[in-house]
Amino acid sequence: MSHEMIAIFMFASMMLMLFTGQRVFGAIGAVAAIAALALWGTGGQDIPFSAAMKLMKWYPLLTLPMFIFMGYILSESKLADDLYRMFHVWMGPVNGGLAIGTIGLMVLVSAMNGLSVAGMAIGATIALPELLRRGYDKRMVTGVIQAGSSLGILVPPSVVLVLYAMIARQPVGQLWLAGVVPGLLMAGMFILYIGVRCYFQPSLGPALKDDARTMPRAEKLKLLQAGILPLAIFAAMMIPFVNGWTSLVESSAIGALTAFAAAVLRGRMTREVFENSTRQTLAISCMFMWIILAALGFGAVFDGLGAVRAIDNLFTEQLGLDPWMILILMQLSFLLMGTFLDDTAMLVIVAPLYVPLVKALGFDLIWYGVLYTITTQIAYMTPPFGYNLFLMRAMAPPEVRLSDIYNSIIPFVGVMIACLALIMAFPEIALWLPKYIYGN
């Protein structure tokens, strides 16, 4: 059997195991281990061993539990409730103001958290009931929360970008900085869409008519303190790192300690909050480590087969496709996989194939990391089996039907595709900030 056929057989076997409901790391790791032993005999056992040693020596991996712990501390201690109260008072008097405030809430939560699931949980438990009670259209608000929560994997400190950095072997700091402008651009496009839509159709997002409109300015200014907290945490973590005063791991530790201190100072750090945050951090961190280990082993076997070079030759020499057409086809494949896989699974499945291919085609891997992240955001919200659709169905009240959830994301997916097209057409949107910071 040719190396190309072996690579195709490995990929097909892995996809088949995933369709049977096997755990992601089990499916990927088992195919890698069996293929290594079949191809190279007893010497193949060195591949998973080498991958495990590489994982254990990967110092930046320590950032994952730090950021995850920081996010769960802020979520479990209900500090995000204060943020939504601030947006409620300041943005409520405007048509669609609470929906716009929800996007702002999601941006700030993303800057504290880095996980889209946490953003979805906060939005669905805090914002959704309030928006529905205020007479907002249910399709509008479910779309807003799903779109806003997806920003968690793009705005730094994105855990997904850390994972991409490890697999693609790119600097995490540059990837974070590359996600800042696209993340804010997408949030701004969401806000613009909501503002224009509610201006012409006020019934979708009516302005508030309660005491929030008449609250004294001094009290409103006091509420702004809730918005200072996430900015302070973000600044305490990012400023020393960007200026080279601390390493990435040290900055992540600063972020976790700052979030812990904020919860203590606000009187929100109970035994239950600490225990839940620690347990969740351990569970998520172990899941990521197993997935990275499986991905490294699978990638090593793929590299040994020369599969990437064969596929590059197939696309460019035999089929005659130009690099941009290949890139677009790769992005479309992410959209397809997103109908039944989450972002982490998508990355580890195709990283051994796509990352070297992108590099061989002459594209910037930092820029491609942003494209991957945005595409998985879109896939998260794409029917029939988008990840966010079912999270919203599980958290939404009974009056919000699945058809409402499906219909709600159509305009927001359109906005995200427009944002993706802008960044593909103008790579400097993503690359300007890391070049400016690291150039200085």
Side-chain angles (χ1 to χ4, degrees):
M1 185 183 293
S2 67
H3 289 179
E4 291 84 354
M5 288 303 299
I6 295 172
I8 293 171
F9 182 73
M10 284 179 61
F11 195 81
S13 301
M14 179 181 63
M15 296 302 293
L16 181 62
M17 289 187 67
L18 289 171
F19 274 121
T20 62
Q22 300 297 322
R23 293 186 181 275
V24 172
F25 74 86
I28 299 170
V31 171
I34 293 171
L37 291 172
L39 288 168
W40 296 294
T42 55
Q45 67 192 19
D46 290 338
I47 290 179
F49 177 77
S50 175
M53 289 299 99
K54 188 183 295 182
L55 183 68
M56 293 299 104
K57 295 175 182 178
W58 223 332
Y59 185 58
L61 189 67
L62 290 173
T63 60
L64 283 177
M66 297 295 181
F67 289 133
I68 295 168
F69 180 73
M70 178 177 68
Y72 276 109
I73 284 288
L74 294 167
S75 176
E76 294 288 333
S77 63
K78 306 297 183 185
L79 290 174
D81 294 28
D82 299 337
L83 281 173
Y84 192 71
R85 173 65 177 161
M86 178 192 75
F87 284 117
H88 172 91
V89 169
W90 278 89
M91 301 299 298
V94 179
N95 285 333
L98 282 186
I100 293 172
T102 300
I103 296 295
L105 170 70
M106 296 298 185
V107 172
L108 292 176
V109 167
S110 299
M112 298 187 296
N113 190 291
L115 292 170
S116 61
V117 175
M120 173 69 82
I122 290 169
T125 56
I126 299 173
L128 181 60
E130 184 67 19
L131 288 164
L132 293 174
R133 189 172 71 85
R134 297 288 179 176
Y136 274 63
D137 180 76
K138 58 184 178 181
R139 290 187 179 180
M140 168 68 80
V141 300
T142 52
V144 165
I145 291 170
Q146 289 180 86
S149 66
S150 68
L151 295 169
I153 62 173
L154 185 58
V155 176
S158 167
V159 173
V160 173
L161 283 177
V162 173
L163 183 61
Y164 173 84
M166 292 177 179
I167 294 176
R169 301 183 184 182
Q170 297 298 305
V172 178
Q174 292 193 35
L175 279 162
W176 275 355
L177 292 172
V180 172
V181 177
L184 295 178
L185 173 64
M186 187 177 294
M189 292 173 71
F190 288 153
I191 290 171
L192 180 63
Y193 164 75
I194 295 167
V196 171
R197 183 90 186 272
C198 291
Y199 178 80
F200 289 104
Q201 293 179 280
S203 60
L204 296 179
L208 299 190
K209 298 181 175 62
D210 60 8
D211 57 346
R213 297 173 65 98
T214 59
M215 180 178 290
R217 180 165 294 274
E219 198 168 337
K220 284 186 175 183
L221 291 173
K222 186 177 180 180
L223 280 172
L224 285 177
Q225 294 177 2
I228 295 174
L229 175 63
L231 295 177
I233 294 173
F234 186 74
M237 177 177 57
M238 290 299 292
I239 290 175
F241 173 65
V242 170
N243 286 312
W245 303 334
T246 60
S247 68
L248 177 65
V249 174
E250 291 166 345
S251 292
S252 67
I254 290 172
L257 288 173
T258 307
F260 183 85
V264 171
L265 293 174
R266 292 289 182 90
R268 309 281 181 88
M269 181 48 65
T270 63
R271 179 185 176 88
E272 182 181 6
V273 167
F274 183 75
E275 184 174 344
N276 288 343
S277 300
T278 306
R279 287 180 181 274
Q280 293 288 348
T281 299
L282 179 62
I284 299 295
S285 299
C286 290
M287 179 194 73
F288 273 120
M289 289 184 69
W290 276 111
I291 288 174
I292 295 170
L293 175 60
L296 289 173
F298 194 89
V301 177
F302 245 56
D303 286 344
L305 287 171
V308 174
R309 291 189 297 275
I311 293 171
D312 182 21
N313 179 67
L314 172 66
F315 283 137
T316 58
E317 300 295 334
Q318 298 182 33
L319 296 180
L321 298 178
D322 64 70
W324 278 99
M325 182 59 69
I326 297 172
L327 185 72
I328 292 170
L329 290 174
M330 291 161 66
Q331 299 306 97
L332 290 175
S333 71
F334 274 131
L335 293 178
L336 178 62
M337 285 187 289
T339 60
F340 60 93
L341 294 172
D342 64 20
D343 50 6
T344 306
M346 282 189 280
L347 178 61
V348 298
I349 287 171
V350 299
L353 175 64
Y354 282 11
V355 171
L357 183 56
V358 168
K359 187 175 181 180
L361 293 172
F363 293 113
D364 189 292
L365 289 179
I366 299 292
W367 171 69
Y368 183 71
V370 175
L371 295 187
Y372 151 75
T373 306
I374 296 175
T375 309
T376 53
Q377 286 177 293
I378 298 170
Y380 257 30
M381 297 168 56
T382 306
F385 304 113
Y387 198 64
N388 272 13
L389 300 174
F390 290 103
L391 284 175
M392 176 55 71
R393 174 61 275 176
M395 298 177 183
E399 64 265 26
V400 179
R401 297 173 298 177
L402 189 60
S403 60
D404 296 323
I405 295 172
Y406 275 21
N407 290 323
S408 70
I409 54 88
I410 294 173
F412 291 97
V413 167
V415 171
M416 296 167 84
I417 291 173
C419 183
L420 177 64
L422 280 173
I423 296 168
M424 290 181 72
F426 304 101
E428 285 302 310
I429 294 175
L431 297 177
W432 170 78
L433 188 58
K435 285 181 179 177
Y436 176 77
I437 296 295
Y438 282 87
N440 291 331

